[in-house]
Amino acid sequence: DQQVKQNSPSLSVQEGRISILNCDYTNSMFDYFLWYKKYPAEGPTFLISISSIKDKNEDGRFTVFLNKSAKHLSLHIVPSQPGDSAVYFCAASPMNTGFQKLVFGTGTRLLVSP
Amino acid sequence: DGGITQSPKYLFRKEGQNVTLSCEQNLNHDAMYWYRQDPGQGLRLIYYSQIVNDFQKGDIAEGYSVSREKKESFPLTVTSAQKNPTAFYLCASSVDRVYSNQPQHFGDGTRLSIL
């Protein structure tokens, strides 16, 4: 039972354009959502997060949108740069566990071409 | 610089051997976690610890063991009971969630392979 789904295994975008990465979840108890970026043979690096009390959070070129009614999360990268090429994981944490139990999606590989 | 150090980066195990993966953090985080990543899959939680001398099983704890004798250290032992140990292992830490939503920070991982 996959509670966090990233249905697009890969995405290709040209430099300067917008990259939109999507994530769907099924557990209505999730209240904290995160995006991580991962290069090969390295650990994930935290990018941006959002609490369920918000519907948007912005940090520089990165914006995360949360649609609770649709149980949908998206990450927008504007403008995209070649250095953004990596695998992006979304993750979610439920509110009732007493600790930060992250559930991860399977990742989307982003390729930004010059 | 504060961070999480995992060692070794690559590890090879013979059939029937136990191996221990090291994880050290100097972020003064209370909580530490171990994840496993397999190709094409997301990260899956093996064990977590919210405080020294206490740890809990995650979703895939069978064949693994941990200890938390010091706040900074959370070693993972992959035992011979783990039938499919070849994977990329990631250690993470975070401020305890009780106080605020703070992200988990990850080390660079250990790739374990069976000889």
Side-chain angles (χ1 to χ4, degrees):
Chain A
D1 176 28
Q2 206 172 344
Q3 298 185 64
V4 178
K5 300 178 185 178
Q6 294 178 256
N7 293 318
S8 297
S10 63
L11 175 67
S12 292
V13 172
Q14 281 196 316
E15 182 178 7
R17 300 287 186 101
I18 184 172
S19 294
I20 300 177
L21 295 98
N22 294 304
C23 181
D24 296 298
Y25 62 95
T26 57
N27 189 340
S28 58
M29 299 301 286
F30 288 148
D31 69 337
Y32 180 53
F33 304 88
L34 308 90
W35 284 95
Y36 284 87
K37 173 181 178 180
K38 186 180 181 302
Y39 294 116
E42 293 185 10
T45 301
F46 169 70
L47 270 179
I48 192 168
S49 64
I50 188 166
S51 165
S52 60
I53 61 174
K54 294 185 173 181
D55 54 18
K56 177 182 174 181
N57 189 26
E58 193 170 354
D59 183 2
R61 297 187 297 115
F62 302 93
T63 303
V64 57
F65 295 91
L66 176 62
N67 183 333
K68 290 184 288 294
S69 61
K71 293 190 177 67
H72 180 80
L73 186 70
S74 64
L75 174 68
H76 292 208
I77 306 174
V78 184
S80 301
Q81 300 173 353
D84 296 329
S85 298
V87 177
Y88 289 77
F89 290 96
C90 69
S93 179
M95 65 178 76
N96 61 349
T97 58
F99 78 104
Q100 195 180 87
K101 179 181 170 63
L102 289 183
V103 180
F104 284 84
T106 53
T108 296
R109 184 177 302 277
L110 174 65
L111 177 62
V112 181
S113 54
Chain B
D1 285 340
I4 301 172
T5 302
Q6 289 188 243
S7 61
K9 195 164 181 67
Y10 300 95
L11 188 57
F12 299 92
R13 191 190 95 169
K14 292 182 180 178
E15 294 282 352
Q17 275 187 338
N18 294 353
V19 289
T20 297
L21 284 61
S22 169
C23 178
E24 303 277 333
Q25 56 99 359
N26 60 3
L27 299 167
N28 199 32
H29 285 167
D30 291 303
M32 297 187 73
Y33 314 80
W34 273 105
Y35 292 90
R36 168 182 173 139
Q37 186 189 15
D38 293 285
Q41 295 192 33
L43 282 64
R44 293 182 290 166
L45 182 65
I46 304 172
Y47 267 98
Y48 66 95
S49 168
Q50 292 176 267
I51 197 169
V52 173
N53 293 323
D54 185 58
F55 48 83
Q56 304 296 329
K57 293 182 179 180
D59 299 320
I60 55 166
E62 186 175 351
Y64 300 98
S65 65
V66 293
S67 62
R68 187 86 188 276
E69 297 177 2
K70 298 186 300 181
K71 186 176 184 177
E72 303 80 15
S73 178
F74 191 40
L76 173 75
T77 296
V78 184
T79 75
S80 57
Q82 171 49 240
K83 297 306 178 190
N84 187 21
T86 296
F88 190 50
Y89 291 88
L90 287 156
C91 178
S93 70
S94 71
V95 172
D96 195 315
R97 179 192 165 91
V98 172
Y99 301 108
S100 65
N101 276 329
Q102 293 289 328
Q104 290 181 20
H105 297 273
F106 286 82
D108 278 341
T110 292
R111 183 165 298 281
L112 174 63
S113 301
I114 300 301
L115 291 178

